[in-house]
Amino acid sequence: MSTTGRSLALSRSAAGPAPWQRAAAGANLLAADGSLAVTIFEEMTTLAAASGAINLGQGSPDQDGPGTIAEAARQAIADGANQYAPGKGTLALREAVAAHQRRFYGLSPDPDTEVIITTGATEALAATLLALTGPGDEVLTFEPFYDSYGAIAGLSGAAHTTSPLLAPDFQPDLEHLAEAFTERTRVVLVNNPHNPMGTVFTREALVKIVELAERHNAIIVTDEVYEHLTFGVPHIPVASLPGAAERTVTISSAGKTFSFTGWKVGWLHGPADLVAAIRTVKQFLRYSSGSPFQPAVAAALALDKAFFAGVAAELQRKRDVLGEGLRRAGLEVFTPDGTYFINADTAPLGVSDAAALARRLPELVGVAAIPVSVFCHEGGAERTRSLLRFAFCKKNEVLEEAASRLATLGEKLA
């Protein structure tokens, strides 16, 4: 890009920040002087690669899911499923999503009018917030929050408000949550199981969210991509609670459960009027995608319940391997009830700035992690300043080596 082109791209419009600036600011990527930063995932991945460290920063599995699912995609390619899929997704996958929701949760979305297939959960979230919110509205999330929530709210022009999840259990602060709702709250976005904290919200918390949304006439949007990755506690979809279905958009995807994150196949379901509004926006983001992957995901969703239980059990074992290494390092470990992320407090080692430690960690012990503060606004960043997030969706031998390296952290800092 020429210097002139670059200055045009980075300049503010007369009406205020440009859309890209609102997105960057929402994801904590815009400095006070207007300069852009790379995402923390890119930064930590670069540091890990440069030092040969084990990258436990980004939540990306290091091995593929079941071969039978991959073979179904190969067969779909051979069978000619290589052109555009219908804009709302193939009927087979929409029916599979509806059947999955019925089998696991007793929900019965209509595959014709209440289900859309998307390019991962991120597109579903983007289409939903862009369709349903705008200037003057508020999007309420819990904090820490997955970074794309702030970015998409910024694009829509809505204000992003938060309610904290506090240590040690990182459940919603229900009193604060009630105060966070206002007459401008258009959407409350519930990430459950929660990234980055690994929390699985209690029924009490979810019932309160529904009650507050009803009181303030807000739409509930749920990000449930880790729905099958819970450890000894049930996942409760918000839409299954009394009074919730008529105001809830439920979002999930295949990537986390089946370990095919690069396929980017997601879905949403909800009331037909909300889904129609979302589909109107979604078709101009990506009309369709992943045609040969859609039949493979449809087959995956129909797998026996034992498969889903096995995925969670294996992941729980991996969680415990890494958790033990973090404890041996002298960190306070917050054992998650779901997702594939575990958080640890560096304060017992005398470290108050986990972001600074994260930048040293690859060279120091050969492991990369993510500081939790990057998932927060200013006040929340101060509350989480000493926390690090580690991903345990890796091979057992990788986690064992990472745990061994991390166990030396206290000694290295001393």
Side-chain angles (χ1 to χ4, degrees):
M1 182 185 289
S2 68
T3 304
T4 301
R6 185 179 297 111
S7 64
L8 286 173
L10 298 179
S11 64
R12 288 172 174 260
S13 71
W20 73 266
Q21 289 171 315
R22 298 198 305 269
N28 296 326
L29 298 180
L30 198 64
D33 63 1
S35 60
L36 264 177
V38 298
T39 68
I40 192 67
F41 306 105
E42 182 178 346
E43 182 181 359
M44 292 301 112
T45 296
T46 300
L47 289 174
S51 61
I54 296 172
N55 189 357
L56 302 186
Q58 190 165 15
S60 180
D62 61 359
Q63 55 191 133
D64 290 343
T68 54
I69 302 175
E71 179 55 37
R74 286 191 288 268
Q75 187 61 52
I77 292 172
D79 290 344
N82 302 304
Q83 308 308 323
Y84 292 128
K88 60 183 179 181
T90 63
L91 177 59
L93 182 50
R94 285 183 279 120
E95 289 178 337
V97 168
H100 170 275
Q101 295 303 89
R102 183 168 53 252
R103 181 162 64 118
F104 282 93
Y105 311 124
L107 297 168
S108 299
D110 184 332
D112 286 326
T113 62
E114 297 181 334
V115 179
I116 302 174
I117 307 307
T118 61
T119 306
T122 301
E123 188 198 28
L125 287 160
T128 299
L129 293 186
L130 291 172
L132 303 179
T133 70
D137 294 329
E138 292 177 352
V139 175
L140 173 60
T141 74
F142 293 97
E143 187 177 53
F145 53 85
Y146 182 55
D147 56 355
S148 75
Y149 301 164
I152 299 167
L155 279 176
S156 81
H160 180 197
T161 61
T162 63
S163 184
L165 303 175
L166 302 177
D169 61 0
F170 297 105
Q171 289 287 335
D173 180 335
L174 298 183
E175 185 175 332
H176 186 282
L177 180 64
E179 296 172 355
F181 271 86
T182 75
E183 69 280 358
R184 294 174 57 198
T185 303
R186 174 64 172 160
V187 162
V188 54
L189 204 172
V190 183
N191 179 201
N192 178 47
H194 186 272
N195 173 20
M197 302 320 299
T199 308
V200 178
F201 289 0
T202 64
R203 177 175 290 272
E204 176 192 10
L206 296 175
V207 167
K208 184 65 172 179
I209 292 167
V210 175
E211 174 192 317
L212 290 167
E214 288 179 327
R215 185 185 307 168
H216 293 275
N217 195 30
I219 297 166
I220 304 168
V221 177
T222 68
D223 177 352
E224 303 184 14
V225 297
Y226 297 98
E227 60 184 307
H228 288 295
L229 308 184
T230 66
F231 316 125
V233 295
H235 169 65
I236 303 170
V238 172
S240 68
L241 298 174
E246 61 264 30
R247 65 175 64 250
T248 301
V249 176
T250 302
I251 294 171
S252 193
S253 75
K256 304 301 189 294
T257 298
F258 303 111
S259 289
F260 288 110
T261 57
W263 288 10
K264 297 300 292 178
V265 177
W267 52 84
L268 65 83
H269 71 81
D273 58 337
L274 294 180
V275 169
I278 296 164
R279 183 184 172 194
T280 301
V281 171
K282 177 255 184 288
Q283 65 189 345
F284 297 112
L285 297 177
R286 295 177 184 87
Y287 177 72
S288 72
S289 61
S291 294
F293 301 131
Q294 292 193 31
V297 172
L301 287 172
L303 288 171
D304 189 271
K305 285 188 176 182
F307 166 80
F308 296 89
V311 169
E314 175 62 19
L315 201 56
Q316 182 172 350
R317 287 190 287 271
K318 293 181 176 186
R319 175 201 70 178
D320 294 343
V321 168
L322 184 57
E324 181 56 32
L326 293 169
R327 290 185 186 90
R328 292 205 310 269
L331 303 172
E332 180 182 2
V333 177
F334 302 104
T335 302
D337 287 328
T339 78
Y340 39 54
F341 301 111
I342 189 168
N343 290 273
D345 194 346
T346 63
L349 295 180
V351 176
S352 60
D353 186 350
L357 177 60
R359 292 180 172 94
R360 295 177 56 204
L361 208 58
E363 284 287 351
L364 197 63
V365 297
V367 176
I370 299 291
V372 176
S373 58
V374 302
F375 301 109
C376 301
H377 291 155
E378 186 174 350
E382 190 57 36
R383 282 194 300 271
T384 59
R385 195 164 181 261
S386 60
L387 302 184
L388 286 174
R389 188 198 76 171
F390 299 82
F392 52 88
C393 50
K394 310 295 180 182
K395 295 174 184 174
N396 287 320
E397 58 267 29
V398 172
L399 292 173
E400 289 167 359
E401 176 60 24
S404 176
R405 295 181 186 187
L406 286 164
T408 68
L409 178 58
E411 175 187 341
K412 295 285 180 65
L413 288 174

mmCIF file of all heavy atoms in Angstrom, residues 79-114:
data_model
loop_
_atom_site.group_PDB
_atom_site.id
_atom_site.type_symbol
_atom_site.label_atom_id
_atom_site.label_comp_id
_atom_site.label_asym_id
_atom_site.label_seq_id
_atom_site.Cartn_x
_atom_site.Cartn_y
_atom_site.Cartn_z
ATOM 1 N N ASP A 79 -18.110 -37.124 -4.328
ATOM 2 C CA ASP A 79 -19.486 -37.194 -4.810
ATOM 3 C C ASP A 79 -19.943 -35.894 -5.474
ATOM 4 O O ASP A 79 -21.083 -35.813 -5.932
ATOM 5 C CB ASP A 79 -20.435 -37.532 -3.664
ATOM 6 C CG ASP A 79 -20.260 -38.964 -3.170
ATOM 7 O OD1 ASP A 79 -19.646 -39.767 -3.900
ATOM 8 O OD2 ASP A 79 -20.726 -39.267 -2.048
ATOM 9 N N GLY A 80 -19.070 -34.876 -5.466
ATOM 10 C CA GLY A 80 -19.389 -33.644 -6.174
ATOM 11 C C GLY A 80 -19.985 -32.525 -5.354
ATOM 12 O O GLY A 80 -20.522 -31.564 -5.924
ATOM 13 N N ALA A 81 -19.863 -32.592 -4.019
ATOM 14 C CA ALA A 81 -20.399 -31.518 -3.171
ATOM 15 C C ALA A 81 -19.387 -30.379 -3.085
ATOM 16 O O ALA A 81 -18.890 -30.037 -2.009
ATOM 17 C CB ALA A 81 -20.723 -32.052 -1.779
ATOM 18 N N ASN A 82 -19.099 -29.761 -4.245
ATOM 19 C CA ASN A 82 -18.006 -28.796 -4.327
ATOM 20 C C ASN A 82 -18.442 -27.417 -4.807
ATOM 21 O O ASN A 82 -17.601 -26.539 -5.021
ATOM 22 C CB ASN A 82 -16.928 -29.343 -5.264
ATOM 23 C CG ASN A 82 -16.398 -30.681 -4.795
ATOM 24 O OD1 ASN A 82 -15.931 -30.809 -3.673
ATOM 25 N ND2 ASN A 82 -16.516 -31.699 -5.646
ATOM 26 N N GLN A 83 -19.723 -27.217 -4.973
ATOM 27 C CA GLN A 83 -20.228 -25.912 -5.386
ATOM 28 C C GLN A 83 -20.957 -25.276 -4.201
ATOM 29 O O GLN A 83 -20.984 -25.823 -3.101
ATOM 30 C CB GLN A 83 -21.149 -26.059 -6.600
ATOM 31 C CG GLN A 83 -20.535 -26.853 -7.752
ATOM 32 C CD GLN A 83 -19.163 -26.356 -8.180
ATOM 33 O OE1 GLN A 83 -18.898 -25.151 -8.174
ATOM 34 N NE2 GLN A 83 -18.272 -27.276 -8.544
ATOM 35 N N TYR A 84 -21.557 -24.101 -4.441
ATOM 36 C CA TYR A 84 -22.242 -23.411 -3.354
ATOM 37 C C TYR A 84 -23.293 -24.303 -2.681
ATOM 38 O O TYR A 84 -24.119 -24.917 -3.356
ATOM 39 C CB TYR A 84 -22.980 -22.170 -3.874
ATOM 40 C CG TYR A 84 -22.081 -21.059 -4.363
ATOM 41 C CD1 TYR A 84 -22.277 -20.503 -5.625
ATOM 42 C CD2 TYR A 84 -21.070 -20.545 -3.563
ATOM 43 C CE1 TYR A 84 -21.480 -19.471 -6.085
ATOM 44 C CE2 TYR A 84 -20.262 -19.511 -4.010
ATOM 45 C CZ TYR A 84 -20.464 -18.973 -5.268
ATOM 46 O OH TYR A 84 -19.670 -17.958 -5.715
ATOM 47 N N ALA A 85 -23.262 -24.317 -1.375
ATOM 48 C CA ALA A 85 -24.376 -24.885 -0.617
ATOM 49 C C ALA A 85 -25.484 -23.835 -0.541
ATOM 50 O O ALA A 85 -25.237 -22.650 -0.788
ATOM 51 C CB ALA A 85 -23.916 -25.263 0.788
ATOM 52 N N PRO A 86 -26.706 -24.214 -0.225
ATOM 53 C CA PRO A 86 -27.751 -23.202 -0.010
ATOM 54 C C PRO A 86 -27.308 -22.174 1.023
ATOM 55 O O PRO A 86 -26.542 -22.496 1.952
ATOM 56 C CB PRO A 86 -28.930 -24.033 0.495
ATOM 57 C CG PRO A 86 -28.684 -25.412 -0.023
ATOM 58 C CD PRO A 86 -27.195 -25.578 -0.029
ATOM 59 N N GLY A 87 -27.782 -20.953 0.876
ATOM 60 C CA GLY A 87 -27.353 -19.882 1.775
ATOM 61 C C GLY A 87 -27.599 -20.175 3.231
ATOM 62 O O GLY A 87 -26.808 -19.771 4.096
ATOM 63 N N LYS A 88 -28.672 -20.857 3.551
ATOM 64 C CA LYS A 88 -28.944 -21.164 4.958
ATOM 65 C C LYS A 88 -28.378 -22.523 5.372
ATOM 66 O O LYS A 88 -28.600 -22.979 6.495
ATOM 67 C CB LYS A 88 -30.439 -21.106 5.247
ATOM 68 C CG LYS A 88 -31.315 -22.058 4.465
ATOM 69 C CD LYS A 88 -32.782 -21.818 4.838
ATOM 70 C CE LYS A 88 -33.721 -22.737 4.065
ATOM 71 N NZ LYS A 88 -35.147 -22.478 4.409
ATOM 72 N N GLY A 89 -27.604 -23.178 4.462
ATOM 73 C CA GLY A 89 -26.999 -24.462 4.773
ATOM 74 C C GLY A 89 -27.763 -25.604 4.140
ATOM 75 O O GLY A 89 -28.940 -25.471 3.780
ATOM 76 N N THR A 90 -27.095 -26.736 4.000
ATOM 77 C CA THR A 90 -27.774 -27.891 3.413
ATOM 78 C C THR A 90 -28.894 -28.360 4.339
ATOM 79 O O THR A 90 -28.796 -28.248 5.572
ATOM 80 C CB THR A 90 -26.796 -29.057 3.194
ATOM 81 O OG1 THR A 90 -26.293 -29.491 4.476
ATOM 82 C CG2 THR A 90 -25.632 -28.641 2.304
ATOM 83 N N LEU A 91 -29.937 -28.907 3.729
ATOM 84 C CA LEU A 91 -31.059 -29.399 4.533
ATOM 85 C C LEU A 91 -30.599 -30.508 5.471
ATOM 86 O O LEU A 91 -31.030 -30.573 6.635
ATOM 87 C CB LEU A 91 -32.174 -29.903 3.620
ATOM 88 C CG LEU A 91 -33.397 -30.515 4.321
ATOM 89 C CD1 LEU A 91 -34.036 -29.499 5.259
ATOM 90 C CD2 LEU A 91 -34.389 -31.034 3.303
ATOM 91 N N ALA A 92 -29.690 -31.362 4.989
ATOM 92 C CA ALA A 92 -29.228 -32.472 5.835
ATOM 93 C C ALA A 92 -28.567 -31.971 7.112
ATOM 94 O O ALA A 92 -28.796 -32.522 8.200
ATOM 95 C CB ALA A 92 -28.259 -33.353 5.051
ATOM 96 N N LEU A 93 -27.751 -30.919 7.007
ATOM 97 C CA LEU A 93 -27.087 -30.409 8.210
ATOM 98 C C LEU A 93 -28.061 -29.641 9.091
ATOM 99 O O LEU A 93 -28.012 -29.739 10.316
ATOM 100 C CB LEU A 93 -25.887 -29.537 7.833
ATOM 101 C CG LEU A 93 -25.075 -28.990 9.017
ATOM 102 C CD1 LEU A 93 -24.710 -30.081 10.015
ATOM 103 C CD2 LEU A 93 -23.815 -28.278 8.516
ATOM 104 N N ARG A 94 -28.964 -28.887 8.502
ATOM 105 C CA ARG A 94 -29.964 -28.189 9.323
ATOM 106 C C ARG A 94 -30.824 -29.191 10.091
ATOM 107 O O ARG A 94 -31.130 -28.997 11.270
ATOM 108 C CB ARG A 94 -30.831 -27.287 8.446
ATOM 109 C CG ARG A 94 -30.110 -26.015 8.005
ATOM 110 C CD ARG A 94 -30.994 -25.101 7.199
ATOM 111 N NE ARG A 94 -31.096 -25.502 5.806
ATOM 112 C CZ ARG A 94 -32.228 -25.828 5.190
ATOM 113 N NH1 ARG A 94 -33.385 -25.801 5.843
ATOM 114 N NH2 ARG A 94 -32.220 -26.166 3.911
ATOM 115 N N GLU A 95 -31.180 -30.278 9.434
ATOM 116 C CA GLU A 95 -31.945 -31.322 10.125
ATOM 117 C C GLU A 95 -31.105 -31.998 11.200
ATOM 118 O O GLU A 95 -31.622 -32.350 12.280
ATOM 119 C CB GLU A 95 -32.446 -32.351 9.114
ATOM 120 C CG GLU A 95 -33.556 -31.823 8.216
ATOM 121 C CD GLU A 95 -34.020 -32.842 7.180
ATOM 122 O OE1 GLU A 95 -33.223 -33.768 6.864
ATOM 123 O OE2 GLU A 95 -35.160 -32.705 6.703
ATOM 124 N N ALA A 96 -29.808 -32.167 10.940
ATOM 125 C CA ALA A 96 -28.927 -32.789 11.935
ATOM 126 C C ALA A 96 -28.771 -31.896 13.164
ATOM 127 O O ALA A 96 -28.733 -32.387 14.302
ATOM 128 C CB ALA A 96 -27.565 -33.078 11.314
ATOM 129 N N VAL A 97 -28.669 -30.595 12.945
ATOM 130 C CA VAL A 97 -28.596 -29.662 14.083
ATOM 131 C C VAL A 97 -29.873 -29.748 14.913
ATOM 132 O O VAL A 97 -29.831 -29.833 16.150
ATOM 133 C CB VAL A 97 -28.367 -28.227 13.578
ATOM 134 C CG1 VAL A 97 -28.575 -27.216 14.708
ATOM 135 C CG2 VAL A 97 -26.959 -28.082 13.003
ATOM 136 N N ALA A 98 -31.028 -29.730 14.238
ATOM 137 C CA ALA A 98 -32.299 -29.813 14.956
ATOM 138 C C ALA A 98 -32.405 -31.130 15.731
ATOM 139 O O ALA A 98 -32.838 -31.152 16.899
ATOM 140 C CB ALA A 98 -33.461 -29.669 13.976
ATOM 141 N N ALA A 99 -31.987 -32.236 15.105
ATOM 142 C CA ALA A 99 -32.045 -33.537 15.767
ATOM 143 C C ALA A 99 -31.099 -33.592 16.968
ATOM 144 O O ALA A 99 -31.431 -34.176 18.018
ATOM 145 C CB ALA A 99 -31.701 -34.644 14.769
ATOM 146 N N HIS A 100 -29.925 -33.003 16.832
ATOM 147 C CA HIS A 100 -28.960 -32.936 17.941
ATOM 148 C C HIS A 100 -29.548 -32.169 19.115
ATOM 149 O O HIS A 100 -29.454 -32.605 20.271
ATOM 150 C CB HIS A 100 -27.671 -32.263 17.445
ATOM 151 C CG HIS A 100 -26.703 -31.923 18.533
ATOM 152 N ND1 HIS A 100 -26.771 -30.754 19.260
ATOM 153 C CD2 HIS A 100 -25.623 -32.601 19.022
ATOM 154 C CE1 HIS A 100 -25.798 -30.723 20.141
ATOM 155 N NE2 HIS A 100 -25.091 -31.830 20.018
ATOM 156 N N GLN A 101 -30.158 -31.030 18.858
ATOM 157 C CA GLN A 101 -30.732 -30.223 19.939
ATOM 158 C C GLN A 101 -31.870 -30.974 20.626
ATOM 159 O O GLN A 101 -32.041 -30.874 21.848
ATOM 160 C CB GLN A 101 -31.223 -28.888 19.384
ATOM 161 C CG GLN A 101 -30.117 -27.988 18.828
ATOM 162 C CD GLN A 101 -29.037 -27.673 19.852
ATOM 163 O OE1 GLN A 101 -28.048 -28.402 19.983
ATOM 164 N NE2 GLN A 101 -29.238 -26.592 20.595
ATOM 165 N N ARG A 102 -32.629 -31.724 19.852
ATOM 166 C CA ARG A 102 -33.729 -32.508 20.427
ATOM 167 C C ARG A 102 -33.188 -33.671 21.262
ATOM 168 O O ARG A 102 -33.660 -33.941 22.376
ATOM 169 C CB ARG A 102 -34.623 -33.014 19.297
ATOM 170 C CG ARG A 102 -35.866 -33.785 19.765
ATOM 171 C CD ARG A 102 -36.852 -33.991 18.619
ATOM 172 N NE ARG A 102 -36.239 -34.609 17.454
ATOM 173 C CZ ARG A 102 -35.975 -33.970 16.309
ATOM 174 N NH1 ARG A 102 -36.261 -32.675 16.174
ATOM 175 N NH2 ARG A 102 -35.416 -34.605 15.286
ATOM 176 N N ARG A 103 -32.174 -34.353 20.740
ATOM 177 C CA ARG A 103 -31.633 -35.537 21.411
ATOM 178 C C ARG A 103 -30.952 -35.194 22.727
ATOM 179 O O ARG A 103 -31.096 -35.907 23.726
ATOM 180 C CB ARG A 103 -30.639 -36.229 20.461
ATOM 181 C CG ARG A 103 -30.014 -37.500 21.013
ATOM 182 C CD ARG A 103 -29.403 -38.336 19.890
ATOM 183 N NE ARG A 103 -28.306 -37.679 19.220
ATOM 184 C CZ ARG A 103 -27.042 -38.138 19.195
ATOM 185 N NH1 ARG A 103 -26.752 -39.258 19.839
ATOM 186 N NH2 ARG A 103 -26.104 -37.510 18.523
ATOM 187 N N PHE A 104 -30.203 -34.076 22.753
ATOM 188 C CA PHE A 104 -29.441 -33.739 23.948
ATOM 189 C C PHE A 104 -30.197 -32.827 24.911
ATOM 190 O O PHE A 104 -29.988 -32.916 26.122
ATOM 191 C CB PHE A 104 -28.119 -33.076 23.557
ATOM 192 C CG PHE A 104 -27.075 -34.048 23.090
ATOM 193 C CD1 PHE A 104 -26.931 -34.343 21.744
ATOM 194 C CD2 PHE A 104 -26.246 -34.698 23.991
ATOM 195 C CE1 PHE A 104 -25.982 -35.244 21.300
ATOM 196 C CE2 PHE A 104 -25.290 -35.603 23.565
ATOM 197 C CZ PHE A 104 -25.159 -35.885 22.213
ATOM 198 N N TYR A 105 -31.071 -31.959 24.398
ATOM 199 C CA TYR A 105 -31.634 -30.912 25.252
ATOM 200 C C TYR A 105 -33.153 -30.791 25.211
ATOM 201 O O TYR A 105 -33.716 -29.951 25.910
ATOM 202 C CB TYR A 105 -31.030 -29.553 24.854
ATOM 203 C CG TYR A 105 -29.530 -29.556 24.748
ATOM 204 C CD1 TYR A 105 -28.886 -29.169 23.575
ATOM 205 C CD2 TYR A 105 -28.736 -29.963 25.827
ATOM 206 C CE1 TYR A 105 -27.502 -29.164 23.474
ATOM 207 C CE2 TYR A 105 -27.347 -29.972 25.726
ATOM 208 C CZ TYR A 105 -26.739 -29.582 24.547
ATOM 209 O OH TYR A 105 -25.374 -29.583 24.444
ATOM 210 N N GLY A 106 -33.815 -31.593 24.379
ATOM 211 C CA GLY A 106 -35.257 -31.491 24.302
ATOM 212 C C GLY A 106 -35.763 -30.279 23.545
ATOM 213 O O GLY A 106 -36.936 -29.915 23.652
ATOM 214 N N LEU A 107 -34.899 -29.633 22.758
ATOM 215 C CA LEU A 107 -35.279 -28.478 21.950
ATOM 216 C C LEU A 107 -35.678 -28.956 20.551
ATOM 217 O O LEU A 107 -35.118 -29.934 20.050
ATOM 218 C CB LEU A 107 -34.131 -27.478 21.858
ATOM 219 C CG LEU A 107 -33.694 -26.855 23.181
ATOM 220 C CD1 LEU A 107 -32.361 -26.109 23.004
ATOM 221 C CD2 LEU A 107 -34.755 -25.908 23.712
ATOM 222 N N SER A 108 -36.601 -28.249 19.917
ATOM 223 C CA SER A 108 -37.086 -28.694 18.604
ATOM 224 C C SER A 108 -37.149 -27.547 17.604
ATOM 225 O O SER A 108 -38.221 -27.156 17.133
ATOM 226 C CB SER A 108 -38.473 -29.339 18.750
ATOM 227 O OG SER A 108 -38.416 -30.470 19.583
ATOM 228 N N PRO A 109 -35.992 -26.964 17.231
ATOM 229 C CA PRO A 109 -36.020 -25.905 16.221
ATOM 230 C C PRO A 109 -36.454 -26.455 14.868
ATOM 231 O O PRO A 109 -36.117 -27.587 14.513
ATOM 232 C CB PRO A 109 -34.571 -25.405 16.185
ATOM 233 C CG PRO A 109 -33.757 -26.572 16.675
ATOM 234 C CD PRO A 109 -34.613 -27.270 17.683
ATOM 235 N N ASP A 110 -37.191 -25.645 14.115
ATOM 236 C CA ASP A 110 -37.633 -26.023 12.777
ATOM 237 C C ASP A 110 -36.453 -25.859 11.820
ATOM 238 O O ASP A 110 -35.949 -24.742 11.641
ATOM 239 C CB ASP A 110 -38.792 -25.122 12.353
ATOM 240 C CG ASP A 110 -39.380 -25.504 11.001
ATOM 241 O OD1 ASP A 110 -38.637 -26.057 10.161
ATOM 242 O OD2 ASP A 110 -40.563 -25.223 10.773
ATOM 243 N N PRO A 111 -35.986 -26.940 11.176
ATOM 244 C CA PRO A 111 -34.809 -26.814 10.304
ATOM 245 C C PRO A 111 -35.038 -25.920 9.094
ATOM 246 O O PRO A 111 -34.081 -25.435 8.498
ATOM 247 C CB PRO A 111 -34.515 -28.250 9.888
ATOM 248 C CG PRO A 111 -35.772 -29.005 10.131
ATOM 249 C CD PRO A 111 -36.445 -28.330 11.281
ATOM 250 N N ASP A 112 -36.287 -25.670 8.737
ATOM 251 C CA ASP A 112 -36.574 -24.829 7.571
ATOM 252 C C ASP A 112 -36.546 -23.341 7.895
ATOM 253 O O ASP A 112 -36.066 -22.538 7.087
ATOM 254 C CB ASP A 112 -37.937 -25.193 6.978
ATOM 255 C CG ASP A 112 -37.897 -26.509 6.224
ATOM 256 O OD1 ASP A 112 -36.851 -26.801 5.613
ATOM 257 O OD2 ASP A 112 -38.892 -27.244 6.269
ATOM 258 N N THR A 113 -37.036 -22.961 9.078
ATOM 259 C CA THR A 113 -37.199 -21.533 9.388
ATOM 260 C C THR A 113 -36.426 -21.061 10.608
ATOM 261 O O THR A 113 -36.336 -19.857 10.835
ATOM 262 C CB THR A 113 -38.683 -21.215 9.614
ATOM 263 O OG1 THR A 113 -39.164 -21.981 10.745
ATOM 264 C CG2 THR A 113 -39.510 -21.537 8.386
ATOM 265 N N GLU A 114 -35.856 -21.979 11.388
ATOM 266 C CA GLU A 114 -35.245 -21.583 12.654
ATOM 267 C C GLU A 114 -33.794 -22.011 12.798
ATOM 268 O O GLU A 114 -33.212 -21.866 13.878
ATOM 269 C CB GLU A 114 -36.069 -22.148 13.819
ATOM 270 C CG GLU A 114 -37.484 -21.603 13.871
ATOM 271 C CD GLU A 114 -38.307 -22.141 15.023
ATOM 272 O OE1 GLU A 114 -38.018 -23.276 15.498
ATOM 273 O OE2 GLU A 114 -39.238 -21.442 15.453
#
